[in-house]
Amino acid sequence: MTELVPGGNLPLPAGAVSVRVPGPFDLSALITDDSGRVRGDGDFVFYNQPAAPGARLSGDTLTVEPARLRAGATRITVAVSPADPGTALGRLPAPTLHLTGPDGRALARFAPPRPRQETVLLLAEIYRRGTGWKLRALGQGYADGLAGLARDFGVDVADEPTPTSPPKPPSRLFAPRTPPTSPGARPTPVASTGARPAPPASTGARSAPPPSSGARTPHPISAGSRPTPPAPLAPPRPSPDADGFLRLVNSARAAAGVPPVSLDARLVSAAQAHASAMATTGRLGVEGGDGVSVYQRLTATGYAYITVGEHLVSGPRTPAEFVDYCLRTAQPRQTLHDPAFTHAGLARASGGRTGDTYWTALWARPFTPTDLSRTAQEVVDLTNRERTRHGLSPLTVDPILATAAQAHSADMIARAFYSHTSPDGSQPWDRAAAAGSGRRSIGENIACGQRSPAEVVEGWMNSPGHRANILKPAFTHIGIGFAGGGSAGTYWTQLFGA
């Protein structure tokens, strides 16, 4: 069975698969095409409408048979909300997704980071890739309830009219259990931020789900359809700095006691390209409809980074509203205040199918050899702290293992893969030997999407296979690799030796 982390994905077998989330939760699903929008209300599967072609909800289990989905369906987004209306997910036990195959065999488990104030959690998406189907773990919080989520995907959910509004004909769907938002008000989901790698995620802001990136499942090992042509886009807006974005951001950072950031033309250029790509398809996401991630757009400008963050949001009309949204929402605020960032870039684009305005903000710190050494040492220190807590001897840094680990992280970006097995078939012990290592036993942990040494080591320790490598008594040496870029933004390698 595979243990998934946000952004992790795995291919699905043919036939019906089941997604189960036990506990005091309501499970729901939205069936969409490449545009990220439902075709009609019948594409919303929830407690009041438990079935659609190819998808059926029964209690805490959603069964999906991709071959029987309606024509044109390419994605099923699975969400969970509290069974008790108005309850924040942070007050409940952490939801855990269990995926089983047609034969009842357990395929994967996903325990996302514990939500806080959010009332909906986008858990996973089942999506078509070529002729097959895959599941991707998401873990994206959403703060406006099931009604706001449904609206963002294009479901017609009835609102209670205000005194000044004429009565609205009731939707053919039952009203959700959560209180409906007022007519004309936009939902307030939580944005995808760099504090944690980011389907869609306030004063009217929507923020993006990670269609294809974010932190992917780190696999341990030890030795022994093109989108529909969009409507024309509106011309790009002027530079956001003309609207005072930098002044607003640095004022907020000063109030938090952190150093200012400066605008970088490369970040602005990458942000503009990604905002335009999202507006083209009318879909928020770390990966645009062209298949290019926001991180790939950034590295294509020549900006190499040691850490990166992003906000992908729709709804705000001005940079002031955008910054206000970030400051009112926990994870976006954490990214805006993060002292690790030295550069920023903001851009927006509108048009496409919906006419909405799509925003991309990028935050980064440029790569330096000193920062790389410090990052690697932090991973070593945190790893040795875990070993010491368990009565094991600390690992010694081996420069040869570090060279092999660094080369593997860079190779995963350069050749667009994520695996212990390189495209040429080489394994961790092969790469260690090629770098000049003569160690008899080799182990490897990899991960992608995590934004800090603390986050990646925590993820490894929460996964049994990676934990076993970190706490293996026989290992005596370690090397760390880190590279920024690719579809997930960050790629980490731990190489152990004895």
Side-chain angles (χ1 to χ4, degrees):
M1 182 177 71
T2 301
E3 289 279 345
L4 294 171
V5 295
N9 63 75
L10 78 165
L12 298 179
V17 296
S18 296
V19 173
R20 178 173 175 262
V21 183
F25 307 107
D26 283 327
L27 200 57
S28 56
L30 293 127
I31 301 167
T32 61
D33 54 24
D34 286 335
S35 73
R37 308 280 288 180
V38 300
R39 181 172 292 179
D41 294 347
D43 282 345
F44 187 21
V45 178
F46 70 126
Y47 47 79
N48 274 348
Q49 183 171 271
R56 176 171 293 277
L57 179 63
S58 178
D60 61 5
T61 301
L62 174 74
T63 301
V64 177
E65 188 171 358
R68 299 185 60 189
L69 293 169
R70 65 158 174 83
T74 59
R75 191 178 305 266
I76 305 96
T77 302
V78 181
V80 67
S81 56
D84 180 20
T87 302
L89 285 167
R91 296 173 57 189
L92 299 176
T96 301
L97 179 150
H98 301 267
L99 178 71
T100 57
D103 57 357
R105 182 173 61 91
L107 299 177
R109 177 181 176 273
F110 175 46
R114 189 181 187 89
R116 298 181 183 178
Q117 79 277 14
E118 297 90 343
T119 55
V120 175
L121 188 67
L122 301 177
L123 270 179
E125 60 182 1
I126 296 171
Y127 63 103
R128 189 172 66 196
R129 180 56 57 92
T131 59
W133 290 79
K134 302 179 78 172
L135 178 138
R136 179 181 296 115
L138 298 176
Q140 174 65 54
Y142 207 94
D144 198 50
L146 206 55
L149 173 67
R151 283 191 185 88
D152 265 13
F153 279 78
V155 176
D156 184 16
V157 177
D159 281 320
E160 293 180 354
T162 61
T164 58
S165 303
K168 179 180 178 178
S171 165
R172 66 185 183 86
L173 289 178
F174 292 108
R177 294 179 189 174
T178 50
T181 55
S182 60
R186 287 183 177 266
T188 313
V190 175
S192 159
T193 74
R196 287 194 184 273
S202 271
T203 36
R206 269 191 305 151
S207 153
S212 68
S213 65
R216 295 192 181 176
T217 312
H219 298 291
I221 188 168
S222 288
S225 73
R226 302 174 61 184
T228 305
L233 294 178
R237 300 291 187 96
S239 167
D241 194 37
D243 297 313
F245 169 68
L246 190 64
R247 175 181 55 80
L248 293 165
V249 165
N250 283 335
S251 175
R253 287 174 67 91
V258 297
V261 293
S262 59
L263 282 180
D264 187 286
R266 293 165 294 181
L267 272 67
V268 174
S269 175
Q272 186 64 67
H274 198 70
S276 297
M278 291 192 297
T280 296
T281 57
R283 178 182 173 84
L284 289 161
V286 172
E287 184 179 283
D290 54 3
V292 180
S293 78
V294 67
Y295 318 112
Q296 291 167 314
R297 299 187 205 281
L298 178 53
T299 54
T301 68
Y303 190 104
Y305 56 81
I306 194 70
T307 187
V308 66
E310 76 286 336
H311 292 116
L312 309 175
V313 180
S314 73
R317 295 164 296 181
T318 65
E321 287 188 4
F322 176 86
V323 172
D324 180 63
Y325 157 70
C326 293
L327 293 174
R328 290 188 296 103
T329 314
Q331 285 192 345
R333 181 171 62 248
Q334 182 179 343
T335 298
L336 191 149
H337 285 162
D338 194 330
F341 298 132
T342 58
H343 294 113
L346 178 73
R348 53 184 161 166
S350 59
R353 295 177 178 83
T354 64
D356 290 341
T357 300
Y358 290 81
W359 297 78
T360 298
L362 286 170
W363 314 83
R365 180 186 187 92
F367 173 91
T368 67
T370 299
D371 279 336
L372 178 61
S373 297
R374 181 165 50 246
T375 297
Q377 189 59 50
E378 285 182 29
V379 175
V380 173
D381 292 344
L382 290 166
T383 300
N384 281 335
R385 186 180 304 171
E386 295 294 343
R387 288 179 63 89
T388 301
R389 285 178 53 208
H390 291 81
L392 299 172
S393 299
L395 302 171
T396 301
V397 173
D398 181 331
I400 294 178
L401 293 181
T403 298
Q406 183 62 35
H408 189 55
S409 288
D411 191 34
M412 286 191 287
I413 292 175
R415 293 200 275 180
F417 73 99
Y418 177 69
S419 175
H420 294 287
T421 304
S422 298
D424 58 12
S426 64
Q427 301 288 343
W429 38 91
D430 300 320
R431 294 189 290 270
S437 175
R439 301 202 175 275
R440 295 169 296 175
S441 179
I442 295 291
E444 182 179 80
N445 286 344
I446 59 174
C448 64
Q450 296 83 358
R451 304 308 173 84
S452 70
E455 187 178 344
V456 73
V457 173
E458 179 184 11
W460 280 326
M461 287 300 294
N462 286 336
S463 172
H466 309 92
R467 180 187 178 94
N469 270 347
I470 289 174
L471 300 182
K472 186 172 181 176
F475 286 145
T476 57
H477 289 77
I478 189 173
I480 304 299
F482 168 85
S487 61
T490 58
Y491 290 76
W492 307 79
T493 303
Q494 262 185 332
L495 200 56
F496 305 90

